[in-house]
Amino acid sequence: AQSVTQLGSHVSVSEGALVLLRCNYSSSVPPYLFWYVQYPNQGLQLLLKYTSAATLVKGINGFEAEFKKSETSFHLTKPSAHMSDAAEYFCAVRALNSGGSNYKLTFGKGTLLTVNP
Amino acid sequence: DGGITQSPKYLFRKEGQNVTLSCEQNLNHDAMYWYRQDPGQGLRLIYYSQIVNDFQKGDIAEGYSVSREKKESFPLTVTSAQKNPTAFYLCASLRQGVGEAFFGQGTRLTVV
């Protein structure tokens, strides 16, 4: 079974400060991992994805995440927060089976990021 | 433009009535999903489908039904058996392989 835990349902930072959103996963096979962003009353937009290539993944809007197998983590970071980063962020895992056909996509409960001026 | 279309954006129904939410994609994706979103609960998987005429229950399938008669379409019916149907519903699709899921803009269902 696969699962995702996002530590901290609400993170508040000052504009210009480091953003760190935490995600830990559980999977019995090597996973594919994703971070999505959601603005109010909208769908989800992909920020970045890890698909077993480079462990440090760069995404849109200056975000990046590092896959750490030993820690089963995939934390999202941004060096300097901007007011427009205020949104809800979701981590997701998809663990392919040996046939490559497991399409189940599991999300964490989300972290609401607030950026203070 | 390719994408996923959910309709309507807002839907109101009386308690006890069945209601069907529409989801159409023109991305030629194999898999389609329905998620329910409630405040503080994240996205919970209702049903997903990997190919036409086949679908699997997710984590909270009770009170919901789906069909997948065409690759492009994956409608969700919220039945009267669903105890608390008021929520934001998101549809997504995904290409076979290592691709990410693409999401529609959601339907907010309110049952009164």
Side-chain angles (χ1 to χ4, degrees), chain A residues 32 34 36 38 41-46 49 51 88 90 94 96 100-110, chain B residues 9 30-31 33 35 37 40-43 45 48 50 59 88 90 94 96-101 103-105 108:
Chain A
Y32 292 165
F34 308 87
Y36 285 85
Q38 185 184 34
N41 293 311
Q42 293 188 22
L44 275 66
Q45 178 186 1
L46 181 73
K49 63 182 179 182
T51 58
E88 190 156 22
F90 293 93
R94 183 180 159 211
L96 295 189
S101 61
N102 179 11
Y103 285 84
K104 189 173 183 182
L105 183 60
T106 302
F107 284 82
K109 292 190 174 183
Chain B
K9 190 170 179 63
D30 306 298
Y33 304 80
Y35 290 90
Q37 186 176 20
Q41 302 259 17
L43 275 70
L45 182 62
Y48 66 109
Q50 298 181 189
D59 301 314
F88 189 54
L90 286 162
L94 184 149
Q96 187 178 16
V98 303
E100 67 273 19
F103 281 81
Q105 291 300 295
R108 186 166 296 281

Side-chain angles (χ1 to χ4, degrees), chain A residues 9-90:
Chain A
S9 59
H10 188 194
V11 170
S12 182
V13 300
S14 298
E15 191 172 19
L18 171 71
V19 175
L20 171 60
L21 305 182
R22 301 179 186 273
C23 172
N24 288 88
Y25 69 90
S26 172
S27 173
S28 57
V29 297
Y32 292 165
L33 296 159
F34 308 87
W35 274 101
Y36 285 85
V37 62
Q38 185 184 34
Y39 299 98
N41 293 311
Q42 293 188 22
L44 275 66
Q45 178 186 1
L46 181 73
L47 279 177
L48 48 81
K49 63 182 179 182
Y50 166 76
T51 58
S52 74
T55 56
L56 182 62
V57 181
K58 294 187 183 299
I60 62 172
N61 301 338
F63 284 94
E64 62 181 38
E66 185 172 9
F67 172 69
K68 292 187 176 181
K69 184 178 179 181
S70 61
E71 299 177 6
T72 61
S73 69
F74 190 57
H75 302 330
L76 182 71
T77 61
K78 181 173 181 178
S80 176
H82 191 272
M83 296 295 289
S84 61
D85 295 327
E88 190 156 22
Y89 292 79
F90 293 93

